[in-house]
Amino acid sequence: MIVLGIESSCDETAAAVVADGSLRSNIVAAQLDHTAYGGVVPEVASRLHERHIVPVVDQALAAAGISVRDLTGIAVTYGPGLAGALIVGLNFAKGLAQSLGLPIIGIDHMEGHLWANFLQGPPAADCYPYLCLLVSGGHTHLWQVDGVGQYTLLGRSLDDAAGEAFDKGARLLGLGYPGGPAIEAAARSGDPQSVDFPRPMKGSPKCDFSFSGLKTALYHHLQGLSESHRREHRHHIAAAYQEAIVDSLLDRLHQGVRQTGLSRVCVAGGVSANARLRRRLDAWAQSENLTLSYPPLEFCTDNAAMIAMAGYIRFQAGDRSPLDLEVNPNLSLADRAQG
Ligand code: KG4
Ligand code: ZN
């Protein structure tokens, strides 16, 4: 089975090929044009997806050494994300599928992130159950995964997502977009103990997250400083802010382990690229005797490899989507899993 995966939910146009359960190619065209605006501009994103989709798919097929005639199915992100951006990928997938007589499968972008830890092949049956922390720009979810399509939501952010906390914090600090890599870079030379920011939800018996109070604390802290002090101490403030996000994520994950008794933990989504988070996770997993995994860096942020693998796994399970599938910008894995 050879699956082409297509991803266009936000500002990356991406295509990848998974053949017989292993990744054969992965092409991502990132849209740097948004940097100047400090965030993603939806119409700019749609137009750039339109420009990139054909060359990106061509490159993914060429890199895998196949032609469209070798494909057995197409997997495509149909939500959540920007409507105009999703439509470009989904319509392209539908047209290609119809012309070749191939099945399509619509993939929830977050389910794609969930499978980014298994790009070397679908998990063996004895991997289940495990915990998966999904930390992206729009979502922060803690899942128990019992099998393909068997996901139980243990906790979610009650307000901002962890990635959003990085992005909004970076804006307050006058750092660039996207905020995560910018804060990480600034924090490298900073002292994480320099400011005592709150650790939202720390110690809560549930597994939920919250980040908006932390962002407000950063705002108030900055308000109390002179412009020159802010500029001079930006790396220290960034380090302390990042540490508060990391501490909070670790505490919630630890609560999930305590609550479920599970010892296998996966982390995925853009924020899982954060080096400080990874270092702290590694130390925690070692001290608690846990099996921990996160994707290689390039598969933490948006890509189509995870969509192709999720599609491969879904096709193997016998799932298909109708050709009149529509995008769903508000698609929620959490709502669907809760029934
Ligand atoms: O998963 P992703 O690429 O897209 C969504 O599905 O949202 O995640 C994007 C988020 C952004 O908020 C970005 O700031 C954050 O992931 N991010 C990071 C890092 N790289 C990306 N956050 C912290 N540290 C990073 N190195
Ligand atoms: Zn994503």
Side-chain angles (χ1 to χ4, degrees):
M1 174 177 282
I2 305 184
V3 177
L4 170 67
I6 295 174
E7 155 65 37
S8 71
S9 65
C10 192
D11 58 347
E12 265 95 17
T13 318
V17 173
V18 163
D20 300 325
S22 69
L23 183 65
R24 293 294 170 81
S25 67
N26 178 52
I27 306 291
V28 182
Q31 303 178 352
L32 302 175
D33 309 54
H34 303 284
T35 314
Y37 300 101
V40 178
V41 183
E43 182 174 335
V44 174
S46 307
R47 287 176 187 274
L48 291 173
H49 284 309
E50 203 170 30
R51 187 184 300 165
H52 291 151
I53 189 94
V54 172
V56 162
V57 168
D58 279 348
Q59 284 174 49
L61 294 171
I66 61 163
S67 90
V68 279
R69 274 165 211 85
D70 299 313
L71 294 174
T72 38
I74 300 174
V76 58
T77 307
Y78 75 110
L82 301 168
L86 290 162
I87 284 171
V88 177
L90 180 58
N91 277 354
F92 182 87
K94 284 180 181 178
L96 192 59
Q98 191 151 35
S99 67
L100 295 165
L102 293 175
I104 63 162
I105 179 87
I107 300 293
D108 182 314
H109 180 81
M110 297 313 294
E111 189 175 5
H113 277 301
L114 201 120
W115 292 118
N117 272 285
F118 295 96
L119 296 176
Q120 72 287 11
D126 64 1
C127 271
Y128 303 113
Y130 63 86
L131 285 179
C132 185
L133 174 67
L134 289 184
V135 271
S136 73
H139 300 83
T140 298
H141 287 159
L142 182 61
W143 294 95
Q144 175 171 328
V145 181
D146 288 290
V148 178
Q150 293 174 262
Y151 318 129
T152 307
L153 188 68
L154 301 177
R156 69 196 301 179
S157 178
L158 304 176
D159 39 59
D160 293 351
E164 216 173 337
F166 273 106
D167 294 335
K168 289 179 174 171
R171 200 171 308 155
L172 290 173
L173 284 161
L175 296 164
Y177 176 86
I183 287 188
E184 179 177 342
R188 228 164 269 146
S189 55
D191 171 10
Q193 313 303 331
S194 61
V195 186
D196 187 18
F197 284 121
R199 269 52 175 166
M201 309 300 278
K202 191 159 187 173
S204 157
K206 292 195 180 169
C207 297
D208 290 329
F209 306 78
S210 166
F211 292 103
S212 73
L214 177 58
K215 175 195 62 194
T216 309
L218 172 63
Y219 173 80
H220 287 303
H221 180 74
L222 292 171
Q223 287 294 305
L225 303 176
S226 69
E227 184 58 41
S228 63
H229 186 102
R230 259 190 234 179
R231 213 172 320 116
E232 234 171 86
H233 291 256
R234 192 152 60 178
H235 57 305
H236 290 314
I237 305 168
Y241 184 72
Q242 173 177 262
E243 201 68 4
I245 297 175
V246 169
D247 263 349
S248 180
L249 289 173
L250 260 164
D251 177 69
R252 309 292 60 225
L253 195 48
H254 189 69
Q255 179 60 23
V257 166
R258 233 184 335 232
Q259 189 173 304
T260 59
L262 296 178
S263 60
R264 183 182 291 270
V265 178
C266 293
V267 185
V271 177
S272 66
N274 186 275
R276 180 68 183 166
L277 175 64
R278 287 174 175 238
R279 198 158 345 118
R280 296 279 313 277
L281 279 168
D282 285 340
W284 167 71
Q286 203 172 6
S287 73
E288 298 290 321
N289 235 335
L290 304 169
T291 307
L292 171 72
S293 71
Y294 26 67
L297 278 184
E298 63 183 309
F299 302 116
C300 292
T301 45
D302 289 349
N303 65 85
M306 65 189 196
I307 303 301
M309 184 55 81
Y312 176 85
I313 291 170
R314 283 282 181 178
F315 277 131
Q316 291 283 63
D319 293 344
R320 301 277 184 278
S321 297
L323 261 188
D324 62 358
L325 178 70
E326 290 180 10
V327 301
N328 183 350
N330 302 315
L331 188 66
S332 167
L333 191 58
D335 292 346
R336 280 186 300 140
Q338 282 174 339

